[in-house]
Amino acid sequence: MAVKIIETCVNCFACAPVCPSKAIYEAKPHFLVNANKCTECEGDYPVYQCASICPIEGAILNSLGEAVNPPGSLTGIPPEKMAEAMAELQSH
Amino acid sequence: MQLPVLNEAPAAKSGCSASSCGTTENQMDALPDSIREKVQNHPCYSEDAHHYFARMHVAVAPACNIQCHYCNRKYDCANESRPGVVSELLTPDQAVKKTMAVAATIPQMTVLGIAGPGDPLANPERTFETFRRLSEEAPDIKLCVSTNGLALPDAVEELSKHNIDHVTITINCVDPEIGAKIYPWIYWNNRRIKGKKAAKILIDQQQKGLEMLIAKGILVKVNSVMIPGVNDQHLAEVSRVVKSKGAFLHNVMPLIAEAEHGTFYGVMGQRGPTHDELQDLQDACSGDMNMMRHCRQCRADAVGLLGEDRGDEFTLDKIEEMEIDYQAAMEKRKVIHQAIQVEMDSKRLEKAEKSMQFKAEPKLSTRPVLMAVATSGQGVINVHFGHAKEFLIYEASPDGVRFISHRKADQYCGGDSTCGDGESVLQRTVRTLEGCEAVLCSKVGYEPWELLENAGIMPNGEHAMEPIEEAVMAVYKEMAAAGKLDAQPEAARASA
């Protein structure tokens, strides 16, 4: 039972201080979760603290390997709109 | 605290009131002495100081506790210049070293700010450690901080301990309905909160923080991002509210939104304001408040005079190699600051005299004109057209000359229909000057000369090294004498 930080993390430091178990640490190339320490906030908070402040969609996975914040959930940008804009930029 | 009203509100966009006659009234003249003293060598707060003094930001604060629709936390690009973007995150120790290296190398640097790239107060340990050490080790540097306000009430006590006498709060709205269109979420009391509820908490915290700072005697500037169709109609109300609570300066900045930034507004096609819309709003707010018009929306790691960025000279590996004797540097800085102060004082006096003379002259009845000026500081025209990274825009009218704004020469490419691939840098620069009828530089080359003339902008290289306001007025009078100011210009205004 642990969350996982993946490579889309931008190293913004926001998650580390809000972790109730001090399970998150600075590492290269990005922050990591000590799976032995992570409790998924059970007993402390009803929601994952790291994933509640993380600004990057998809950067934190739950123990099932699913993105806690799926595409569009934080920025409000519909994923298809984002894909459209990126395709448009790449065609230039 | 009583807030002075700078009565420079012009009638619509067409002119200026009596208080800014002759040459531009010093933006700070309307402030009480106690405040003026604090801000007169602060480049971000004083329009005339920004020609002389430099500032720097140290990027020690990466975390943020809210999301704004104009920000993308993934962004990190050396070629980009806008708030929230940095190349290198610093530890407090590195930040202190960098600040002292810059202060020793650029003695005009008077102000150290922490502005991100996240929210400084969402990184209290890193931010306050930097402030604590700098107030001990480099006491001649002014410290300031910029925040979204969410964590501000809890930080006021600590801020007052570090002798920080300026705080900037970004307040884009005082209405949660509008806030919900700007802020998708906040992190508050261990939860991510969205929508109107989030906006209301943020607004309440900002207003509470503002009141607490004023009660502590700390100067507060308010930044607002102007977002057409979202908060543009609302910002006059914001101005009124923050002024009534004691903020001393309001800085309305244009939204920067391009699809390639990957921000909500950029991707969704939200446009920024035109030069005219921004100016109209600043004018509308200035009836209520002392407005700031010279903001460059700099990066969270910018170094140098406003509008320039010498950050490349102070990368981590470079400052590692520098040996700084700060005591010696402080002595040198003191002498240089005094000399600048003497020069600024004499220029202010000169301006006042010129203003008196101007008032005694028969008043023209011509229409106002916008002019662009190329300068690298010291308040004079001293940059070649082709070398200008930005232009300062002044309005000349029968009431005098007033500073309006700056425009970047290397504009962000909008990718819209008017910005095709074939457009040269020069053509883009000329387009940047839309609405201006003259451009004053130390020199103008043959090719730009022709392009400028064709665009209805008169190039002028005859006032090199002259004080800006005097030169602008001289050109205005020439235009009036030549009968150019009786009719509306073809290219100006309507298209801007």
Side-chain angles (χ1 to χ4, degrees), chain A residues 28-52:
Chain A
K28 297 282 173 201
H30 58 78
F31 277 72
L32 290 172
V33 180
N34 180 334
N36 296 327
K37 283 189 176 177
C38 175
T39 60
E40 295 195 31
C41 295
E42 226 176 272
D44 289 305
Y45 299 103
V47 285
Y48 303 128
Q49 287 306 292
C50 52
S52 296

Side-chain angles (χ1 to χ4, degrees), chain B residues 78-97:
Chain B
N79 300 320
E80 263 281 3
S81 177
R82 61 193 167 90
V85 173
V86 297
S87 304
E88 208 168 35
L89 184 72
L90 305 181
T91 63
D93 191 56
Q94 290 166 332
V96 169
K97 196 150 187 215

